[in-house]
Amino acid sequence: MDTNTLSRRKFLKSTGLTGAALFLGCYFPASAREAKILNAAQPETTEIELNAWILIDTSGKVTLLSHRAEMGQGVYQSLPQIIAEELEVNLNEVNIIFAKGDNKKYGNQVTGGSSSVRGSYKNLLKLGATAREMLIEAAAKKWNVANEECYAEAGHVIHKPSGKKFHYGELVVDASKLEAPKNIKLKARSEYKIIGKPLHRQDTPLKTNGTAIFGLDKRVPNMLYAAVERNPRLRGVVKSFDDSAALKIPGVKKVFKVRMGVFSTYREGVAVVADNTWAAIQGKKALKIEWDDSGFEHLSTDEIYKRQQEDLKTKEGLSFRKVGDPDSIIQQAAKKIDVVYQTPYQSHSCMEPLNCVAHWQGDKLEIWGPIQAPDWVQDYISKEMNLPRENVIVNLTFLGGGFGRKAFMDYPHEASVISKEIGAPVQVVWTREDDATQGPYRPGISYRCEGVVANGEISAFKVRMAGQNNGHWMGGKKDIANRSATEGFLKPYFDSMKNISVADVPFETPIPTMWWRSVYASTNGFAYESFMDELAIAAGKDPLELRREYLKDERLHRQIDKLEEVSGWKNRKKNEGFGVAITECFGTPVGQVVKVSKQKDGKIKIDKVWAVVDCGWYVNPDTIKAQVEGSIVMALGAATIHEITFKDGMTEQRNFYNYRMPRINDIPPIEVHIMENDADAGGVGEPGLPAFAPALTNAVYDLTGKRIRKLPFSLATV
Amino acid sequence: MISLNINQKTYQVDVSPDMPLLWVIRDIVGLTGTKYGCGVAQCGACVVHMNGEAARSCVTKVSRAEGQAIVTIEGLSQNNDHPLQTAWNEISVPQCGYCHSGQLMSAAVLLRENPNPTDDDIDAAMAGNICRCGTYPRIRQAIHLAAEMQRKGIKNKN
Ligand code: FES
Ligand code: FES
């Protein structure tokens, strides 16, 4: 067992806070299923690792330590909102600070899987309530009255009969001497005053006047800047390079070869270090490099999709799940549907290009950057650079977008290698071209969907996917199916269909791939929900009705009812195309209806999008709506505008002029509804994405009779 | 030495005359509110005002900015209370926030020239600014709100 302990002194040091305070933490005893809360000020607690912490100081200010990064999803807002509710303080009394990377202290810190809230809310509610009860007890003792005569409100404890009150700050010293009470009763949802309200995001002011510090804005004393020319064929190595022109550029200080890890392989490039970013970029452009990238020069996405579809003709792949015997039904059927769907490679293209500051100090390394997985970075770099874990310090900045890309360790590793080489702090800046051409990407995938409809019922359903499996390339077992093939697919279908099978036909290419917002659901959703539409049409059924029939689940039915109602599904008119799709990922089902019409010039216009989200218990409805709106915009780009293609071993897209993004004039009105229920919290940042593409293409089919089976497609030329 | 006037302050910078204004502002002057997104006039993250006009600082040579009145996001208002900043806060527009320096600077020019913009006006003025987080619906809403506040002379709703 590691005895990496957390003392109050250490915590105070890491937060920069000083003085007396009430300090509570929550931890998981080895035997328990639920987290326990303890008073971390007590000496016997110093050996225990804590998962979530709050601290209240003598001025009544509350500090919450977040172990998740802020990348736009709103933890900056939602975690304090949870604490403030049970603690009975105003939201502006709660400060949030971001923990440094350290999975020994905080457990898994990866900001991904739409987990920031759903992974922590129960603990935070308990922490807030426990602190409140301790403050009440401390006040009652001072007044010498019963606890029951007192209540908490807006940062004060009030004695009901007399109206006397104490500010929390006046009570923290006494409260910190008490033992944390057990069996705290949490509020019912109906009693919430802060949770469930569309409160303003606390980080907005920082983001409207230029004061928010993103990775690219980080400055440390004597910092240099670097740009790196990396192998355009991604896996090749540097044979030789000529830096004479680069070194002549004013400001350029040093040029050398670098090698950085990309999961299980390495990537090579040549780094140019300068005293400003522009000089570094100019120097990079002036390099003459000879690469050895033989073996990769013929790689092309056309070829990849062709091979995938060949594989799908013959290979059965790794079965994820099989019910009944769909194969023999399909073989014997006189009439069957047998179609292929294809989804493209995509780049995350965060608005903030990749970057990282590293400062090598001999026996110690400090890193600052927009990082989704600080604990992974710490682990990986300590191994690669041969440093003890605790000597690798990973500091988080705001992330200018993440979407999965910034959970990768390559760019912090590269910055570390460069800092070590020059012995000075350095900020490595990826140009947009670097960001677009180097990946990792969402994998391009082909799906073969086979089905039989008899007597208005789906009698066989078989889907196989062929694409790169992130799990495999990250070191997972290659001979069993992981969840790749079913992410996004609603589980009740497995219960209602008598003959169904889903399998993954693993496929390898040298292209690095990685999670992209909503991961496999982002492409599975398109295949499954389009195919479902095809089956509904074949069965002569209304597509929404078919889902109701096959999704035998009360909660889903309420969601479908809502979707039907808000979208006016039943009253749709002749010249309007309506499409529906329902997907689920990260614990949250989302249904969408898209309405399209044809303009005079023949182009398809998206008139409106309705989304109904059932994420169970939630904190801030406005944040949820924002996440779903953003997911739909991102899905719209991936479905109708951009894709990454490879030719001659290289990415063809370089910047936003040929990896075009949706712009404000591409965006239809989006209406988001949230279901009300008390079910466990589901994710919010990703689940809004997958249903959009199939709802759109199903709507296009409804309007034009044309089935779109390959993304992206152009609305202008359907 | 090139003399720059940024947010009504004068800076003497010793840089190559063809260095883009963006990198001078960020790396030499040290104001990091103006962002790098593409470097090729595609995304609008780097928009600043030059004599009141929106300029993409990533493709503006610093020599061209000499002697001009430059305003960056840090200078849009004294107290973060330009009607657009207030509206942005009111509607919780930013997600990651990275694009919003540029969004606000573009919107500020629109609002000055057109105090009552329609949706189409907004589309035309804002189509040069990419937001990967997809905050477009809220940008539209917030510009309308700011226009309304500006017309009614409300400086800060709070
Ligand atoms: S950075 Fe200037 S327009 Fe993109
Ligand atoms: S808010 Fe993230 S790019 Fe616009």
Side-chain angles (χ1 to χ4, degrees), chain A residues 316-320 472 477-482 502-506:
Chain A
E316 289 300 320
L318 307 168
S319 171
F320 176 80
H472 290 171
K477 276 202 163 159
K478 291 193 181 186
D479 53 351
I480 51 164
N482 50 33
V502 169
D504 175 15
V505 180

Side-chain angles (χ1 to χ4, degrees), chain A residues 72 200-201 205 207-209 214 216-217 219 277-278 347-349 351 431-432 622 626 629-630 655 662-663, chain B residues 19-20 26-27 32 35-38 40 42 73 80 85 90 92 95-96 98 127 132-133 136 138 140:
Chain A
H200 293 169
R201 284 179 66 138
K207 293 174 175 176
T208 58
N209 67 1
F214 294 88
L216 209 57
D217 306 329
R219 299 289 181 258
T277 314
W278 174 244
S347 155
H348 304 78
S349 290
M351 258 343 265
T431 63
R432 174 58 59 194
D622 196 50
E629 289 161 9
N655 202 322
R663 291 172 186 268
Chain B
M19 189 190 284
R26 291 182 50 84
D27 294 356
T32 55
K35 303 302 186 206
Y36 164 68
C38 69
V40 292
Q42 288 285 318
I73 186 71
N80 211 351
Q85 288 167 320
E90 200 57 39
S92 290
Q95 288 184 27
C96 84
Y98 192 79
R132 185 62 164 148
C133 298
Y136 300 122
R138 285 163 191 251
R140 185 190 302 284

Side-chain angles (χ1 to χ4, degrees), chain A residues 222 231 233 351 459 489 609 640 649 688:
Chain A
N222 305 317
N231 190 304
R233 289 206 170 91
M351 258 343 265
S459 51
F489 190 59
V609 183
T640 67

Side-chain angles (χ1 to χ4, degrees), chain A residues 82-144:
Chain A
I82 299 171
I83 282 291
E85 179 69 61
E86 288 285 358
L87 188 53
E88 298 290 354
V89 294
N90 297 324
L91 193 56
N92 57 13
E93 298 291 328
V94 185
N95 275 325
I96 182 164
I97 56 173
F98 295 100
K100 300 183 184 206
D102 193 341
N103 60 8
K104 294 268 156 45
K105 277 187 195 160
Y106 314 115
N108 177 0
Q109 279 176 269
V110 182
T111 305
S114 297
S115 59
S116 303
V117 166
R118 77 194 163 108
S120 62
Y121 76 103
K122 288 183 179 163
N123 294 341
L124 294 179
L125 287 172
K126 254 196 221 169
L127 271 177
T130 306
R132 179 196 68 219
E133 290 305 310
M134 291 167 81
L135 291 160
I136 288 177
E137 192 180 335
K141 282 216 168 99
K142 277 189 178 222
W143 288 320
N144 208 1

Side-chain angles (χ1 to χ4, degrees), chain A residues 21-25 37-42 45 54 56 86-87 126-143 147 150 152 156-157 166-168 170-182 184:
Chain A
L22 172 58
F23 170 29
L24 298 183
I37 307 275
L38 57 78
N39 182 341
Q42 310 213 321
T45 63
I54 58 168
I56 310 169
E86 288 285 358
L87 188 53
K126 254 196 221 169
L127 271 177
T130 306
R132 179 196 68 219
E133 290 305 310
M134 291 167 81
L135 291 160
I136 288 177
E137 192 180 335
K141 282 216 168 99
K142 277 189 178 222
W143 288 320
N147 290 2
C150 308
H156 293 80
V157 177
F166 277 122
H167 185 249
Y168 279 180
E170 300 171 90
L171 299 168
V172 293
V173 174
D174 288 6
S176 70
K177 294 179 186 132
L178 301 170
E179 194 166 319
K182 297 196 181 67
I184 296 281

Side-chain angles (χ1 to χ4, degrees), chain B residues 22 35-47 56-59 128:
Chain B
L22 169 68
K35 303 302 186 206
Y36 164 68
C38 69
V40 292
Q42 288 285 318
C43 77
C46 65
V47 169
R56 288 158 192 263
S57 61
C58 69
V59 291

